[in-house]
Amino acid sequence: MSPPSSNSLWMEQLQHIAPAPPLAGDTAADVVIVGAGFTGLWTAYYLKQRAPQLDIVVLEAHSAGHGASGRNGGWVIGELAGEERLLAGLAPAARDASLALLRDIPAEVGRVLAKEGLDCDFRHGGVLYCAARYPEQAGWLRQQLAHWHAHGHGEQDFAWLEPAALQQQLRLAQPYGAVFSPHVATIQPARLVRALARRVQELGVRLYEHSAVRAIRRHEAETAHGRVRANWVLPALEAYSAGVAGVRGQQIAVQSMLIATEPLPQQLWDQIGLAHGQAFSEWSRLVSYGQRTRDNRLVFGARGGYRFRGRLRTPFVLTAAEIAMRRQLMLELFPMLAPARITHAWGGNLGVARGFAPQIVVDAANGVICAGGYGGEGVGASNLAARCMAALICGSSDDVLQIPWLTTPAQLRQWEPEPLRWLGYNAILRSFDWEDRVLRNAHSPGWQRRLAQQLARRMAGLMQ
């Protein structure tokens, strides 16, 4: 049996697209955006909706979607990583308004897709957060549900499903219950990012591919073959900011890793479920998640990794052990997939900011606005960040600006120096792995199960 392809399934499914030309020589614009992923392209789109006369340049090191935007799990989530900490200081009315903006992200994406006629397999089917491998997960989920309900969310946002109700949507080997939320959609992300690239070009945006930016300065982005002067420079690089002078250090790179099965026959899907575009996640610190694709594959991801000094992982080829770990998790949930072939195994680099919440960094004196640090939830968060940056550039007092994620370079929290980051990450990871090994073993004694959970909770607290 041939090994899985290391290409992103999403990118491999695209037809060949002729690349846009590289930047050749110096030019000027009103806005230059660095990075043709979701953040950059959504920002170009919303700027053109607000101010069609703006001259906008987008510079991309490879091709549109080459980075995290073409390599993720395909979830459009109506929330932000760390949103409770972000919104904690708001008055109740402002908090409710902010939550409404966040919950509306999948619907907003759907509205744009319908308006512009963009096809990316969009399905607004919600998400199932499942307790599915050991009984403690049901208790964790119920505690989380009570927390959500105590902080402004209703049953219409998060609702408990008993095992029988869960099995009507998703049939797991050991169902202990689930929480359903309607605020998630699934997409084929590479189709969306390439469709956005085409649409903004039709709107007059100048896209230059294979034009890696090596430095960002006051009102300027520099490549090896030319510079762009602009009133505003928007680095939209996430993890890839590590290699660009002027924004290096605002985020660190971590990795996500996924596998995909071959197309599965309908009889298997009748056993699994997911008939209405639902995403699913198994509620553990292994952070496993998945969706059913248009061509009836199961795409399944689980916790990624971190490299010393936050180095990017490229080329991204999963090891046999990394593939086996994700396949084993998948089979614990869906043992009927044991005969299914894994055809693709790939990963992507994404950005995390200190504080583990996304941010928009505004350096008005130098004309630079940078968004990112989405912590793995950037498919949806990038849309809202783009609307915020478009409003800032156009001088609007739009409601989208009420999300309190704007900051300045002077206010940024700095990451601890190495080797503390690497040691801390691995210590946290080991505690999570031990907790999972103990809890998945039905014969572990009660004292050990309690100790493993207590240690993992304390270690998780370091990620604040």
Side-chain angles (χ1 to χ4, degrees):
M1 184 180 294
S2 59
S5 168
S6 62
N7 295 327
S8 161
L9 168 70
W10 312 123
M11 296 297 283
E12 196 172 275
Q13 287 180 337
L14 298 181
Q15 295 180 344
H16 174 72
I17 300 171
L23 180 69
D26 296 347
T27 189
D30 295 309
V31 180
V32 57
I33 296 170
V34 183
F38 285 131
T39 300
L41 294 172
W42 276 126
T43 304
Y45 174 80
Y46 284 111
L47 281 170
K48 279 296 187 180
Q49 301 307 298
R50 287 177 175 270
Q53 75 281 4
L54 287 177
D55 182 14
I56 302 170
V57 166
V58 177
L59 301 174
E60 166 56 43
H62 299 279
S63 58
H66 174 83
S69 297
R71 298 172 182 273
N72 56 78
W75 286 31
V76 184
I77 308 176
E79 62 183 51
L80 299 178
E83 71 176 43
E84 290 190 1
R85 295 192 301 278
L86 280 174
L87 306 184
L90 297 180
R95 178 184 172 84
D96 289 346
S98 295
L99 286 173
L101 272 173
L102 297 178
R103 301 298 171 252
D104 187 58
I105 289 172
E108 166 64 12
V109 171
R111 288 190 291 267
V112 174
L113 298 180
K115 174 187 173 184
E116 302 293 349
L118 307 181
D119 178 20
C120 64
D121 304 352
F122 179 84
R123 294 168 296 174
H124 197 164
V127 61
L128 295 158
Y129 297 115
C130 305
R133 289 192 301 121
Y134 34 85
E136 282 86 353
Q137 291 175 301
W140 299 347
L141 259 179
R142 286 189 179 276
Q143 290 173 8
Q144 181 62 50
L145 180 63
H147 183 81
W148 279 323
H149 288 171
H151 287 77
H153 308 282
E155 284 288 332
Q156 73 279 6
D157 299 307
F158 298 98
W160 179 257
L161 299 180
E162 293 291 347
L166 169 60
Q167 294 292 78
Q168 292 178 15
Q169 298 192 54
L170 178 64
R171 285 170 281 285
L172 299 160
Q174 299 184 84
Y176 297 104
V179 169
F180 175 77
S181 173
H183 305 305
V184 172
T186 56
I187 59 169
Q188 206 283 28
R191 283 202 180 103
L192 175 55
V193 73
R194 295 304 307 191
L196 283 173
R198 290 193 300 272
R199 184 65 188 119
V200 299
Q201 287 178 282
E202 293 167 356
L203 293 171
V205 172
R206 291 186 280 159
L207 171 63
Y208 297 102
E209 295 182 308
H210 300 286
S211 301
V213 170
R214 59 189 183 187
I216 289 171
R217 304 186 184 90
R218 178 181 172 87
H219 300 294
E220 181 180 274
E222 177 189 296
T223 76
H225 301 290
R227 302 180 181 185
V228 182
R229 293 282 300 171
N231 297 326
W232 289 101
V233 182
L234 271 64
L237 293 164
E238 267 266 278
Y240 294 86
S241 62
V244 179
V247 290
R248 185 183 296 122
Q250 291 186 5
Q251 304 167 48
I252 60 169
V254 299
Q255 288 80 45
S256 65
M257 303 180 205
L258 303 98
I259 59 174
T261 69
E262 63 188 333
L264 304 175
Q266 186 58 45
Q267 65 184 36
L268 268 181
W269 282 113
D270 290 341
Q271 297 177 52
I272 297 169
L274 298 180
H276 305 294
Q278 307 98 315
F280 70 90
S281 176
E282 179 254 336
W283 197 261
S284 78
R285 300 186 209 277
L286 295 181
V287 196
S288 60
Y289 54 92
Q291 67 148 301
R292 177 180 180 175
T293 68
R294 176 185 281 182
D295 63 345
N296 287 320
R297 301 171 187 265
L298 182 70
V299 168
F300 186 84
R303 186 186 56 210
Y306 171 75
R307 304 183 78 194
F308 190 71
R309 293 182 178 171
R311 294 194 306 270
L312 295 172
R313 187 166 168 177
T314 179
F316 210 131
V317 180
L318 270 63
T319 66
E322 288 168 338
I323 296 170
M325 176 266 197
R326 285 152 186 83
R327 183 175 182 273
Q328 178 59 37
L329 268 176
M330 181 184 74
L331 294 182
E332 288 184 29
L333 301 175
F334 309 108
M336 72 285 284
L337 293 183
R341 188 167 63 94
I342 303 300
T343 60
H344 294 75
W346 74 99
N349 298 289
L350 57 102
V352 177
R354 189 66 181 96
F356 297 89
Q359 58 195 14
I360 298 176
V361 184
V362 182
D363 182 2
N366 292 305
V368 178
I369 304 179
C370 181
Y374 303 124
E377 298 183 0
V379 179
S382 61
N383 176 274
L384 183 58
R387 285 182 274 156
C388 288
M389 291 192 291
L392 287 168
I393 288 171
C394 293
S396 170
S397 57
D398 197 289
D399 288 347
V400 295
L401 294 176
Q402 66 191 336
I403 303 290
W405 55 348
L406 303 184
T407 188
T408 67
Q411 296 170 320
L412 282 177
R413 290 181 62 185
Q414 300 299 312
W415 282 96
E416 293 79 1
E418 293 290 20
L420 295 179
R421 287 203 307 262
W422 187 84
L423 291 171
Y425 172 85
N426 281 282
I428 292 168
L429 205 65
R430 286 178 182 273
S431 75
F432 291 177
D433 286 341
W434 184 59
E435 177 191 51
D436 201 75
R437 286 197 306 273
V438 169
L439 296 183
R440 73 205 295 187
N441 180 0
H443 302 293
S444 297
W447 68 265
Q448 192 178 44
R449 300 177 82 87
R450 291 188 295 273
L451 179 61
Q453 292 177 78
Q454 184 180 37
L455 176 61
R457 278 195 300 269
R458 289 187 176 181
M459 297 300 287
L462 299 177
M463 300 170 60
Q464 304 294 332

